[in-house]
Amino acid sequence: MKLDERHLVQLAAVVQAGGVTEAAAMLGVSQPAVSRTLSLMEKRLGEPLFVRGKRPLVPTPLGRTLAEHGQIILSASRAASEAIDNFRGGTSGLVRLGGVPFFMDALISPMIASFQNAFPDIRFQQSYGYLPDLRAALEADRIDLAVCPIDILDEGSGLQFEEILPGRNVVACRATHPLLLKRKLKTTDLLEYPWIAPPPGSPLHADLRSILHSLGATEVKIRFSGGSLASVLNYMAATDALTVLPHGVVFAFRKDRHITALPIKVPHPDRALGLLRLSAAPRLPAVDKFAGHIVRSFADLSHLIKRHERAVVWGA
């Protein structure tokens, strides 16, 4: 015998509420409608669903068994409604995020953690890449949002970019580097030490070449290359090697006091770090909420980052 799922739900509500009127109010239907449903079910089954004369209503063994099935349907319906509300409110869902490695590891990953502390039902899938890879991933619908540095977008690119941090590079070194003891640091002093090369294909790799060219270098000692941010920092903290890093990355590790920036001006890249997404992509509430969190987090940090830059680089 096939029973209407809606009837089972109404039966479960009556058992749960202990009365027809209360169940009708719970479900948002009329009391006569629930009474008709119970009468129709008893007629089809040929069995009573409630013990006669008991208030509040007491289900018979058959009534309780069927109500248990109805409760499963009712709970699933409520869970589905809650899932819809959470999705629309941006408090649940999936954020597929891609980004350049150094910024992701130094600045974005802690922001993901703080975001998930507030919204634990939002899941993240994180991947790494540089602009060509991230653009391809956006267009192939493999990621929803990218965090990367950009100089300028071509007209008609179909991409939307929101700046969160201006491009600022520094020459980074360990906190006890001999060059920090010089009273007047000259750019030529930098060429006396070995260098760490950023990963090939990264914007930082091109920036390093630009900086060394501005220093008049014809050749440079590259002792370490291609490492992750963690390996670069660990290597640099134990050697006198220098490297070029975004100031924001050095700022992120300021409390560790293992690395710092040399007080010397170097060319800044004509680009900014920001959020990149497809202009025509459907708006996903969880992605929008996280993007807003990133923008606000950088806005809150902006004065600290500027103060750190003035104190460590320009003010020294």
Side-chain angles (χ1 to χ4, degrees):
M1 177 182 292
K2 180 174 176 57
L3 296 176
D4 191 320
E5 290 84 354
R6 292 171 297 177
H7 293 174
L8 292 174
V9 167
Q10 292 185 27
L11 173 61
V14 172
V15 171
Q16 181 180 337
V20 175
T21 301
E22 295 83 355
M26 178 191 303
L27 297 173
V29 298
S30 67
Q31 182 269 334
V34 177
S35 296
R36 286 195 298 271
T37 294
L38 297 181
S39 297
L40 178 62
M41 291 183 69
E42 289 184 333
K43 185 175 181 180
R44 287 197 63 195
L45 294 169
E47 298 284 346
L49 296 173
F50 293 92
V51 178
R52 306 300 181 191
K54 294 286 187 178
R55 290 292 184 275
L57 294 179
V58 176
T60 62
L62 176 60
R64 185 175 299 281
T65 297
L66 295 179
E68 289 173 355
H69 292 287
Q71 185 61 50
I72 295 173
I73 300 171
L74 181 59
S75 298
S77 176
R78 288 173 176 169
S81 297
E82 183 178 353
I84 293 172
D85 292 339
N86 290 340
F87 175 83
R88 288 175 174 170
T91 58
S92 70
L94 172 66
V95 176
R96 299 173 302 170
L97 179 67
V100 291
F102 282 15
F103 277 114
M104 293 294 289
D105 292 348
L107 292 168
I108 303 301
S109 57
M111 294 179 185
I112 295 175
S114 64
F115 181 78
Q116 282 192 309
N117 287 337
F119 303 103
D121 292 330
I122 295 181
R123 297 177 294 115
F124 279 81
Q125 287 181 357
Q126 180 186 306
S127 57
Y128 294 112
Y130 299 107
L131 180 58
D133 309 308
L134 297 172
R135 179 171 183 168
L138 285 167
E139 293 172 344
D141 193 31
R142 295 195 300 270
I143 61 174
D144 306 305
L145 188 67
V147 181
C148 60
I150 286 183
D151 47 9
I152 189 170
L153 282 176
D154 296 332
E155 185 177 357
S157 66
L159 297 171
Q160 173 187 332
F161 182 74
E162 183 175 8
E163 180 179 331
I164 55 177
L165 187 67
R168 294 288 187 272
N169 281 342
V170 294
V171 175
C173 63
R174 63 185 174 99
T176 55
H177 198 283
L179 286 178
L180 294 169
L181 301 177
K182 281 185 170 287
R183 296 184 61 183
K184 189 173 182 179
L185 184 62
K186 297 180 294 185
T187 55
T188 53
D189 295 330
L190 278 60
L191 301 178
E192 298 176 6
Y193 291 88
W195 286 76
I196 302 169
S202 69
L204 281 177
H205 195 273
D207 293 343
L208 175 62
R209 295 176 62 89
S210 175
I211 288 172
L212 293 176
H213 178 74
S214 71
L215 299 179
T218 56
E219 61 180 48
V220 66
K221 296 176 285 187
I222 300 293
R223 293 287 178 81
F224 185 84
S225 63
S228 65
L229 176 60
S231 63
V232 167
L233 295 181
N234 289 333
Y235 180 86
M236 184 166 53
T239 68
D240 286 338
L242 307 174
T243 193
V244 57
L245 286 177
H247 172 252
V249 172
V250 176
F251 168 82
F253 291 96
R254 67 196 184 283
K255 294 182 179 179
D256 294 344
R257 299 185 178 180
H258 294 151
I259 67 166
T260 188
L262 289 174
I264 192 165
K265 293 183 179 181
V266 295
H268 288 315
D270 187 19
R271 59 175 176 266
L273 181 72
L275 303 178
L276 186 69
R277 64 173 81 187
L278 287 179
S279 302
R283 309 306 286 190
L284 301 174
V287 175
D288 287 343
K289 187 177 287 290
F290 176 68
H293 172 73
I294 292 295
V295 171
R296 289 190 299 274
S297 297
F298 274 96
D300 292 341
L301 286 174
S302 62
H303 70 285
L304 294 176
I305 293 175
K306 289 179 181 177
R307 187 170 68 185
H308 181 268
E309 182 179 5
R310 286 194 300 268
V312 175
V313 183
W314 314 133

